[in-house]
Amino acid sequence: MKIFNQRRRLIVNREVQYDVLMYVGIFVMSIFAVQALAMYIFLSRLEHVVSHMTALEFVAKYKVSILIYQLIPVGFGMVVGVYVFNKLTSRIVGPLYNVKRILHNAVETQQIPQEIKLREHDYFREEINDINVILKRRIK
């Protein structure tokens, strides 16, 4: 039994999917690195106290501090992640919304639009340029 169908491709749009995968990878690795750094700083401050404790005693005594040291980087990472992924997804959704709005307007007014415009850093430029070529041919 084949896992993947021959016609199905995992990467359909390299520009979009590679960027998303890159940002997700960077996001996950940065949260892990900041958590590790926070735990290292926390443990280095307690090194003189911890040397005679067992792991169970240490966790029982410092569990609130450990949670705080782990929640701060995760919370900060989530705020930054929401901002970055909001910017990234607006580059994806913005062009699709623009095309939908223009096509909906064309259906209502019975007029063919002359051109679909995108912002400078939007995705799907090649696809929209192809649609614009078709629209220009229809107008002539």
Side-chain angles (χ1 to χ4, degrees):
M1 182 173 139
K2 290 184 180 180
I3 295 176
F4 297 109
N5 200 352
Q6 286 269 344
R7 295 182 308 183
R8 183 182 296 174
R9 294 179 9 202
L10 289 176
I11 303 296
V12 177
N13 187 322
R14 289 176 189 245
E15 180 185 24
V16 175
Q17 288 177 291
Y18 285 167
D19 277 0
V20 169
L21 290 173
M22 177 189 65
Y23 282 116
V24 167
I26 289 171
F27 177 70
V28 169
M29 290 305 296
S30 63
I31 288 212
F32 174 76
V34 172
Q35 279 187 305
L37 180 65
M39 189 53 86
Y40 176 77
I41 291 170
F42 176 69
L43 292 177
S44 67
R45 291 177 182 243
L46 295 175
E47 192 170 0
H48 62 283
V49 177
V50 176
S51 60
H52 66 278
M53 296 175 104
T54 65
L56 188 58
E57 291 172 336
F58 174 76
V59 170
K61 186 172 183 176
Y62 295 106
K63 62 184 166 195
V64 173
S65 300
I66 291 171
L67 285 175
I68 290 172
Y69 264 85
Q70 292 303 304
L71 288 177
I72 290 172
V74 170
F76 179 74
M78 295 306 276
V79 169
V80 170
V82 165
Y83 175 76
V84 168
F85 287 112
N86 184 40
K87 296 288 274 184
L88 179 66
T89 56
S90 70
R91 290 177 57 197
I92 297 168
V93 177
L96 298 176
Y97 174 77
N98 196 11
V99 168
K100 179 183 174 185
R101 182 179 51 81
I102 289 171
L103 293 177
H104 182 70
N105 190 25
V107 168
E108 285 183 356
T109 63
Q110 301 292 324
Q111 294 178 354
I112 298 174
Q114 291 187 1
E115 183 179 23
I116 299 173
K117 296 179 183 176
L118 295 178
R119 296 172 295 202
E120 186 177 334
H121 297 292
D122 280 345
Y123 289 115
F124 306 116
R125 285 203 163 281
E126 291 178 18
E127 292 82 359
I128 300 301
N129 287 339
D130 291 343
I131 292 172
N132 283 336
V133 168
I134 293 170
L135 289 174
K136 288 178 183 175
R137 285 183 190 164
R138 296 282 295 183
I139 292 173
K140 291 179 182 179

